Amino acid sequence: MPAYEQAVGVVLPGGVISRVGVPQYEEAPIGFASLFRHNIRLAGGPAPVRAYIEELLPDILDGTIEPGKVFDTTTDLDGVPAGYRDMDERKSLKVLIKP
């Protein structure tokens, strides 16, 4: 919510607020007073991960790219359910799964 509020506070009339990923809030104001009257557009959707995974995953796995700024937890396949639970409970930002 703070990122959304900041975006609404700095976007110019006629501008676009764009987000990547699934919103984590339902109470964001999008009515007449906040967006419509200033002709502000709210856009977004899930990150296009599948478009880049074949190109980037080998570099992550061999250490060429350091995903530490995104992934803060690593698990194996057995830890996937706990990893999703930790992300849902905000204990982890993103979980990297290594087979």
Side-chain angles (χ1 to χ4, degrees):
M1 222 18 226
Y4 175 82
E5 291 168 343
Q6 181 178 9
V8 169
V10 300
V11 67
L12 296 173
V16 178
I17 298 171
S18 184
R19 64 176 190 266
V20 177
V22 179
Q24 300 297 319
Y25 47 84
E26 295 294 329
E27 64 277 353
I30 58 170
F32 181 78
S34 63
L35 300 180
F36 183 79
R37 105 181 131 115
H38 298 291
N39 193 27
I40 296 169
R41 188 168 64 112
L42 178 62
V49 175
R50 296 209 181 272
Y52 304 103
I53 199 162
E54 287 185 25
E55 177 185 349
L56 297 177
L57 189 58
D59 291 338
I60 291 169
L61 295 175
D62 73 13
T64 303
I65 295 175
E66 173 55 52
K69 293 183 190 235
V70 176
F71 297 104
D72 58 352
T73 305
T74 302
T75 189
D76 59 14
L77 291 175
D78 292 333
V80 170
Y84 272 101
R85 191 170 37 256
D86 287 348
M87 288 188 292
D88 181 55
E89 295 171 358
R90 303 296 189 259
K91 294 177 183 174
S92 295
L93 179 63
K94 285 285 185 187
V95 176
L96 177 64
I97 303 160
K98 286 191 172 185

